[in-house]
Amino acid sequence: MKYIFVTGGVVSSLGKGLTAASLGTLLENRGLKVALQKFDPYLNVDPGTMNPYQHGEVYVLDDGAETDLDLGHYERFTNVQLTRLNNLTSGQVYQTVLNNEREGKYLGKTVQVIPHVTDEIKKRMHVLAEHSGADVIITEIGGTTGDIEGLPFLEAIREFALEVGYNNAIFVHVTYVPFIKAAGELKSKPTQQSVAKLREIGIAPHIVVCRCERPLDKELRQKISIFCNVPFEAVVEEKDVDHTIYEVPLMLQRERMDDLVCSLLHLDLPPAKMGHWQEIIRKLIAPQHRVRIGVVGKYIELQDAYKSVYEAISHGGIANDCGVEIQRVDSEDIEREGAEKYLKGLGGILVPGGFGERGIEGKIQAARYARENLVPYLGLCLGMQIATIEFARNVLKLAKAHSTEFDPNTPHPVIAMLDSQTKVTKKGGTMRLGAQACQLVVGTKTAQLYGAFVVKERHRHRYEFNNAYRERFLKADFVFSGQTPDGKLVEIIELPKHPFFIGCQFHPEFRSKPHQPHPLFKGFIAAAHAYTRQKPVEPRL
Ligand code: GLN
């Protein structure tokens, strides 16, 4: 078993996760079975209770683990099977250590960060090594070198590397090389200092990956090599990509980073075959067609809040050789100024998941606009609930229909909490979570898109379609195209007379990859493309 530890220096948001995932892509395409793991130094047990301003998207795994969004990159870039073992937070570590202490597992001892906390971290690495059956584990350490809270993780990986031997474990440090305009040059000092900080803790990186806006010249590479104590070829340039994040693996391959990793870890493997990856990039950079998709949400200004949604849309574009321009629409703007102003001219409208009342009415107006103007609509989780509420109010004429999440006293609770959820008082990890089976109804557009009878999709919500209203919806041509195999929960809805109007109670965006675009996103972009090509039609519904 081989181990690669990825740390980060100078500033956050350097794209360590992307670097780790891209290295995973390359190693996988050299024939290795790869596992990827993320350590997060914060004290939350998982990011499930943080808001998107704090954390960006919460990425949900098959087993229901609510995890860091970097795990989304891991799944999109590789074929790894991630479980809750692949994301470890300080919160989980301390929770385990404190439970052990109360159970008397350390009886007689003073419980300390070293060795008890660090041992727990190392134990998690061994458990993953055993469970994953991987040849190599890439472990990303969240945060920035120098943060107090990250120290136990750095100490743990230092000890771990020593224990498994330096033939089997290497350190990759991702750092920032800023371009200073006034001086007209790239500066290596921050990199030198963050490597010095790492060495103070006892970690000497084998490879320094330099994030930069401009190419590193030979002299600068030499400087970084000397001051950071790594060979010249171990200074890897990772320049801002021109078009898409999926270029990163190819960029690292050009820098021969995977060759270096293989030689450091004594792995004798053929070069990575990346032809399929190049084709993906070709379709992203030079697509045959173009569409514009509106994403209507309330965290629109935040780059990371709907990360997987934006990625899955671009995958739908790849599948249709269609470049997708995403227009982010703030649902509160729609509330203030109407849907038409923001949604006119779009090829498709998507309402993603969400919680809380703010901006809900704007999303309902967006769904109405899509339904009435025959604009392709895809509703994800909350987006399905929104479409249901809109239909209830404006087609079934159920005045003030709502979800009990937003109006507990609504006369028509078309979306309501499951009985099993009403007794839950704890907030962490208590939603309907993870991959669950959904049975599709033959003859529906959804079944046609999936080309399957039963699919598994990931959930993260508390509220559901209220079955007391099923009959009324059915009579108005509102089709339930997917449900749980026991028939109890509505999972997918669609409007058969609309060219594409689909809502799903789950999050298909978590299952889409550039080389395996999700069928719902593929169909959505195809419909958006068809809609864009035809002249706008008169409202029919
Ligand atoms: N707030 C809604 C619920 O809990 C939808 C959640 C979501 O979109 N993930 O059911």
Side-chain angles (χ1 to χ4, degrees):
M1 178 70 77
K2 307 286 183 182
Y3 301 87
I4 300 167
F5 296 105
V6 180
T7 55
V10 185
V11 285
S12 59
S13 305
L14 277 181
K16 274 191 314 263
L18 266 179
T19 307
S22 301
L23 184 57
T25 314
L26 291 173
L27 295 181
E28 206 168 75
N29 284 294
R30 293 184 80 131
L32 291 174
K33 185 164 171 15
V34 176
L36 283 135
Q37 182 181 35
K38 169 108 198 248
F39 290 165
D40 278 310
Y42 51 73
L43 283 173
N44 300 63
V45 170
D46 63 41
T49 56
M50 280 188 238
N51 87 29
Y53 287 111
Q54 291 286 314
H55 186 271
E57 164 188 276
V58 172
Y59 188 78
V60 183
L61 304 181
D62 270 355
D63 67 358
E66 295 173 281
T67 70
D68 185 80
L69 55 78
D70 277 323
L71 277 81
H73 291 311
Y74 302 170
E75 286 201 328
R76 287 188 282 271
F77 277 70
T78 67
N79 296 310
V80 293
Q81 295 289 325
L82 299 179
T83 70
R84 59 184 66 249
L85 287 177
N86 298 63
N87 194 189
L88 180 67
T89 66
S90 290
Q92 289 169 29
V93 177
Y94 281 100
Q95 195 176 42
T96 311
V97 169
L98 294 177
N99 284 343
N100 286 348
E101 188 272 340
R102 289 292 85 182
E103 282 168 25
K105 290 199 179 142
Y106 312 119
L107 225 47
K109 304 233 170 66
T110 307
V111 181
Q112 292 176 302
V113 171
I114 305 171
H116 300 99
V117 167
T118 45
D119 278 355
E120 198 51 47
I121 297 169
K122 288 191 282 178
K123 195 160 116 198
R124 178 60 86 90
M125 275 184 268
H126 287 298
V127 172
L128 183 68
E130 230 169 77
H131 274 74
S132 64
D135 303 309
V136 51
I137 296 185
I138 303 174
T139 303
E140 176 194 348
I141 319 298
T144 308
T145 313
D147 295 348
I148 290 177
E149 55 185 13
L151 284 174
F153 286 108
L154 295 177
E155 170 62 16
I157 61 172
R158 183 192 69 76
E159 291 176 17
F160 193 92
L162 186 69
E163 286 160 21
V164 298
Y166 291 125
N167 285 343
N168 299 316
I170 58 167
F171 296 101
V172 174
H173 190 56
V174 182
T175 163
Y176 184 48
V177 180
F179 178 77
I180 304 296
K181 255 205 205 125
E185 50 181 53
L186 290 165
K187 292 291 184 187
S188 67
K189 190 76 78 193
T191 296
Q192 296 173 35
Q193 287 180 342
S194 88
V195 170
K197 194 96 210 142
L198 259 188
R199 281 159 59 189
E200 235 171 66
I201 315 168
I203 293 176
H206 298 82
I207 298 175
V208 176
V209 176
C210 303
R211 292 282 291 105
C212 48
E213 285 169 57
R214 311 205 173 192
L216 305 178
D217 60 24
K218 197 173 160 201
E219 266 167 61
L220 195 77
R221 285 187 196 242
Q222 248 151 6
K223 202 166 165 190
I224 294 173
S225 152
I226 289 172
F227 285 108
C228 297
N229 200 33
V230 293
F232 181 78
E233 61 277 11
V235 179
V236 171
E237 172 189 296
E238 194 184 316
K239 203 163 73 64
D240 292 354
V241 286
D242 292 328
H243 306 280
T244 150
I245 52 170
Y246 298 109
E247 290 172 62
V248 178
L250 298 180
M251 187 187 288
L252 297 182
Q253 190 182 33
R254 277 197 299 275
E255 288 285 300
R256 308 194 55 179
M257 180 177 174
D258 55 324
D259 289 344
L260 187 60
V261 166
C262 288
S263 91
L264 285 164
L265 291 173
H266 304 276
L267 294 164
D268 188 14
L269 296 163
K273 291 199 188 79
M274 299 297 288
H276 65 300
W277 206 262
Q278 266 150 354
E279 180 56 13
I280 288 168
I281 290 162
R282 203 276 305 150
K283 285 190 180 154
L284 283 169
I285 294 178
Q288 303 265 355
H289 319 287
R290 293 210 168 263
V291 291
R292 242 173 0 122
I293 299 294
V295 174
V296 182
K298 69 172 174 180
Y299 296 112
I300 282 313
E301 72 283 9
L302 264 185
Q303 180 66 24
D304 283 347
Y306 305 115
K307 186 129 217 146
S308 297
V309 174
Y310 297 144
E311 289 306 317
I313 291 174
S314 83
H315 305 161
I318 295 172
N320 289 284
D321 210 346
C322 219
V324 189
E325 184 196 324
I326 294 178
Q327 186 149 323
R328 304 175 187 195
V329 182
D330 188 331
S331 51
E332 287 179 293
D333 284 341
I334 294 184
E335 286 172 10
R336 277 187 290 268
E337 298 177 87
E340 173 107 11
K341 176 169 179 201
Y342 292 95
L343 305 178
K344 199 169 176 185
L346 293 172
I349 295 170
L350 185 148
V351 177
F355 297 82
E357 208 187 336
R358 186 164 65 82
I360 288 294
E361 291 302 323
K363 293 179 189 175
I364 294 174
Q365 285 183 50
R368 179 175 193 171
Y369 181 90
R371 182 178 57 78
E372 292 185 342
N373 294 286
L374 303 181
V375 186
Y377 176 89
L378 182 60
L380 312 175
C381 205
L382 177 69
M384 180 205 104
Q385 300 175 353
I386 291 287
T388 307
I389 296 164
E390 189 281 316
F391 195 87
R393 286 186 190 174
N394 300 317
V395 179
L396 303 182
K397 306 291 178 203
L398 302 174
K400 295 191 178 157
H402 223 320
S403 160
T404 53
E405 177 178 5
F406 313 119
D407 179 4
N409 303 316
T410 168
H412 295 293
V414 288
I415 304 290
M417 205 181 257
L418 271 186
D419 280 350
S420 58
Q421 279 285 344
T422 52
K423 292 160 208 106
V424 174
T425 53
K426 284 194 177 171
K427 291 283 182 225
T430 54
M431 284 186 252
R432 184 176 168 211
L433 282 168
Q436 302 187 12
C438 166
Q439 196 153 8
L440 304 176
V441 176
V442 179
T444 59
K445 186 173 287 137
T446 308
Q448 195 189 335
L449 290 173
Y450 274 102
F453 296 112
V454 179
V455 293
K456 274 196 149 188
E457 294 284 3
R458 299 180 189 175
H459 291 253
R460 181 171 185 259
H461 56 102
R462 289 202 162 84
Y463 295 81
E464 306 278 348
F465 180 89
N466 182 349
N467 287 328
Y469 287 88
R470 263 210 212 201
E471 282 307 313
R472 274 184 263 190
F473 275 80
L474 275 176
K475 279 198 193 120
D477 258 348
F478 188 91
V479 168
F480 302 103
S481 40
Q483 49 188 1
T484 46
D486 62 7
K488 287 192 178 146
L489 300 175
V490 170
E491 302 282 54
I492 310 175
I493 57 113
E494 66 180 60
L495 298 181
K497 291 202 185 123
H498 191 291
F500 190 105
F501 194 101
I502 293 180
C504 51
Q505 188 53 85
F506 45 79
H507 290 276
E509 68 272 23
F510 296 145
R511 295 207 128 200
S512 190
K513 299 180 189 233
H515 42 289
Q516 288 157 25
H518 191 285
L520 292 182
F521 283 90
K522 186 174 165 185
F524 176 55
I525 300 299
H529 179 222
Y531 177 80
T532 308
R533 280 169 52 172
Q534 85 201 16
K535 289 261 172 281
V537 282
E538 286 303 309
R540 225 184 340 126
L541 292 177

